[in-house]
Amino acid sequence: MAVLSRHRRLSRNFRGNMNMRVDLILESEQRSASVVNLKSVIRISSVSLPVILLVIVASIAVNMITLNSELKMLEGEVQAIGSKEKTAETLIKGFAVNREIMNELEGWRKSHIDWYEQLLAMQKEVPSEIQLSAMRISHEFDLIDKKIPVRAFTVALEGNTTGERAELNVHRLKRGLEDSPVLSLAVKEKGVEVSRFEAAIGKEASKDDRIFQIECKYRARRFE
Amino acid sequence: MKLPEDKKERTKILVLIAIGAVGAIYMVVQLSITPLLKSRLAKITKIQELKEDFEKARKTVNQASKDRKTNQETILRIKETAEKYVLPPRLGGNYQLGASEIIEKHARDLGIGLTSLREFSISDVKQNPAKGTESTFKTYTLSISLECGFHELVRLLRAIESSNPYLCITSLEILGQPKKDPGKHNVHFNVQWPIWSHRSISLEIEEQLKQPNLGRKGADGN
């Protein structure tokens, strides 16, 4: 049947176009003309895949050997520097503690006020019409923002004056204290205020006698 | 071995071979390559950690060698300052004797008589609560009473304050006595010195000066 059909195709081609194609190979006998075929792919793969796998395993193994030696070397170096590090850490921590001690000690110097200078400066500002009866310096440790230790000083001056210009005299003293070059460096801005001004009471007190108190609040002096 | 002539049969066998090959490759990857890669990764991580450790240790050692000199200078400054200005205790932890001697000497030099000298307090210095550590210094306060003129008092305060910039006059009261003697006032004042909160701290400072490379005992938290 196959031979007969082929013969018919041949004769039709021969009669119609005067072309002739001879096809004598059975379909089962036909082979691909392509360079890449399934068989060659299987052959190449069966060799190349194991080789590739082997190369991968070998390269990893070589890499592991290198890593192992690097690891060993590093472990040795870390161990060697370990004891030095411990000594160094102790020294660094010790230095931090010592610095802290020095800062604390310096806090004492920084928070110190030379009161003899302040007293002399205050005395200069007292007008002759005023008689001071008492002076009090008080001090307390405080914390600014709940963390910075400071010394806070307050000076209270008590005195008396007399006459129509009594109030003016007290204001002169207040202004003098505010403007004093020595005091203004140490006293808070607007830290000088007259906290008391009233008529003097007592057997010997006259109608025009006045007693007063002026408070000077000093700037907080950091203790660290 | 030849493949069968029949196309279907051939395809079946090829599919089986392909499945077998994929399985074999999978097994090889699972059994040898994956464990090797895992172990490699672990080693790389370990190496990275060791490198970081080494770098950290190297930096610490370098920092320590930089700090060593400054630390020595700091210790020396602490020692010198403390020896001059921190009030030392006498036998039995008595501070009053030393403090009184200082004030009495200044008063004597100026020809000022003192009425009384008494211990006022030993107390802690208020410090930043966030620090959490005890303060290195405490305060020792001596209370002094005398009768003197204003300028005598100024001279006495100048002598006391100039001799030690670390002490502090924390309270002063000058009360005039116009009826008794207008030229002389009743004066009370408190002088505050720094004192070591523990004697062991100053001993440790001295110990550090002898062995500069060792740092402080207990500084490593032990």
Side-chain angles (χ1 to χ4, degrees):
Chain A
M1 277 294 276
V3 175
L4 190 62
S5 71
R6 204 187 315 159
H7 174 71
R8 275 184 201 147
R9 208 160 56 227
L10 276 174
S11 27
R12 222 182 292 135
N13 285 345
F14 183 71
R15 270 186 246 130
N17 302 326
M18 292 298 282
N19 287 334
M20 189 173 72
R21 187 162 70 92
V22 180
D23 188 0
L24 298 173
I25 302 169
L26 291 170
E27 274 185 31
S28 63
E29 294 167 349
Q30 284 176 0
R31 295 290 179 268
S32 169
S34 167
V35 178
V36 181
N37 60 27
L38 191 61
K39 204 171 179 182
S40 62
V41 167
I42 291 169
R43 273 184 190 158
I44 291 165
S45 304
S46 64
V47 176
S48 61
L49 273 177
V51 169
I52 288 168
L53 285 175
L54 206 68
V55 168
I56 290 171
V57 170
S59 67
I60 294 172
V62 169
N63 187 230
M64 288 284 285
I65 292 166
T66 316
L67 287 177
N68 268 336
S69 68
E70 191 180 352
L71 187 64
K72 225 172 186 178
M73 190 187 73
L74 267 170
E75 276 171 346
E77 283 178 353
V78 168
Q79 203 174 6
I81 205 168
S83 59
K84 283 184 189 170
E85 187 192 16
K86 210 171 178 186
T87 313
E89 273 175 354
T90 311
L91 193 134
I92 289 170
K93 281 178 189 166
F95 177 41
V97 174
N98 291 334
R99 211 169 30 201
E100 197 61 41
I101 294 174
M102 195 65 227
N103 285 344
E104 206 181 312
L105 197 51
E106 280 306 293
W108 279 80
R109 193 178 55 79
K110 286 180 195 162
S111 63
H112 158 107
I113 291 184
D114 279 330
W115 283 109
Y116 72 90
E117 279 182 357
Q118 303 293 312
L119 294 187
L120 282 176
M122 282 178 196
Q123 195 209 20
K124 267 188 197 169
E125 303 306 327
V126 183
S128 54
E129 297 86 352
I130 281 180
Q131 188 181 11
L132 289 183
S133 55
M135 174 189 267
R136 287 185 184 85
I137 298 172
S138 56
H139 154 273
E140 63 175 349
F141 280 119
D142 206 355
L143 285 177
I144 294 181
D145 300 333
K146 292 181 182 172
K147 59 180 179 187
I148 304 163
V150 292
R151 284 189 192 273
F153 291 99
T154 305
V155 175
L157 298 172
E158 289 172 22
N160 50 62
T161 182
T162 189
E164 288 175 1
R165 296 167 67 86
E167 193 170 349
L168 196 69
N169 292 337
V170 174
H171 275 289
R172 266 175 61 205
L173 173 58
K174 178 183 177 269
R175 213 169 33 250
L177 294 173
E178 283 171 339
D179 297 341
S180 159
V182 176
L183 296 176
S184 59
L185 288 174
V187 175
K188 275 183 187 173
E189 204 175 329
K190 293 180 183 171
V192 182
E193 61 177 42
V194 180
S195 53
R196 196 168 57 143
F197 182 77
E198 57 197 44
I201 307 164
K203 283 179 188 172
E204 291 171 10
S206 76
K207 198 180 85 181
D208 292 335
D209 286 353
R210 299 287 180 267
I211 55 166
F212 69 90
Q213 186 181 50
I214 294 180
E215 276 189 358
C216 303
K217 287 194 165 62
Y218 277 65
R219 289 196 184 101
R221 301 178 82 86
R222 281 172 174 250
F223 203 76
E224 61 174 25
Chain B
M1 197 186 105
K2 271 193 170 182
L3 289 168
E5 292 289 316
D6 184 43
K7 202 175 178 179
K8 277 187 180 173
E9 287 297 313
R10 209 169 58 212
T11 311
K12 275 183 192 170
I13 287 175
L14 285 174
V15 167
L16 280 174
I17 289 170
I19 291 169
V22 168
I25 291 168
Y26 178 77
M27 290 301 282
V28 169
V29 169
Q30 282 299 311
L31 294 176
S32 62
I33 295 178
T34 307
L36 274 174
L37 285 176
K38 271 186 188 169
S39 161
R40 182 178 169 273
L41 190 69
K43 281 201 178 1
I44 288 173
T45 313
K46 178 84 179 156
I47 285 172
Q48 199 57 40
E49 282 172 7
L50 284 173
K51 276 183 179 171
E52 282 168 13
D53 288 352
F54 183 78
E55 193 53 31
K56 186 178 149 273
R58 199 180 57 78
K59 277 184 185 167
T60 309
V61 171
N62 285 347
Q63 187 60 46
S65 59
K66 280 182 198 165
D67 286 351
R68 186 166 285 122
K69 197 172 167 242
T70 325
N71 187 37
Q72 272 301 99
E73 289 166 359
T74 309
I75 297 167
L76 207 61
R77 269 182 66 199
I78 294 171
K79 187 177 180 284
E80 286 172 358
T81 311
E83 275 175 0
K84 272 189 188 171
Y85 303 122
V86 174
L87 190 66
R90 292 286 174 86
L91 280 176
N94 186 317
Y95 290 95
Q96 191 180 353
L97 282 174
S100 300
E101 270 177 19
I102 293 168
I103 302 297
E104 278 168 345
K105 183 190 174 295
H106 289 303
R108 205 169 43 245
D109 291 348
L110 295 166
I112 300 170
L114 303 174
T115 316
S116 75
L117 291 134
R118 60 181 177 83
E119 183 172 295
F120 185 75
S121 67
I122 293 180
S123 56
D124 292 323
V125 177
K126 207 173 228 179
Q127 63 167 358
N128 188 350
K131 270 188 185 172
T133 52
E134 201 185 338
S135 173
T136 313
F137 298 97
K138 285 188 174 189
T139 67
Y140 175 81
T141 310
L142 187 76
S143 189
I144 300 133
S145 300
L146 69 156
E147 262 187 31
C148 66
F150 181 80
H151 286 100
E152 282 178 307
L153 174 67
V154 167
R155 280 204 299 277
L156 179 62
L157 294 185
R158 188 206 302 260
I160 294 169
E161 290 178 326
S162 305
S163 68
N164 184 351
Y166 290 78
L167 60 71
C168 187
I169 288 166
T170 53
S171 95
L172 172 73
E173 187 178 57
I174 308 171
L175 296 170
Q177 33 188 14
K179 285 176 187 166
K180 190 180 165 194
D181 184 355
K184 293 221 171 199
H185 313 304
N186 257 327
V187 179
H188 304 277
F189 67 95
N190 287 352
V191 184
Q192 197 172 71
W193 280 267
I195 57 170
W196 292 105
S197 58
H198 297 289
R199 181 79 186 122
S200 60
I201 302 173
S202 67
L203 295 175
E204 212 171 284
I205 297 279
E206 280 170 26
E207 194 61 35
Q208 282 185 75
L209 273 176
K210 286 177 196 161
Q211 295 171 304
N213 291 332
L214 290 180
R216 292 183 71 83
K217 274 180 201 169
D220 53 356
N222 298 329

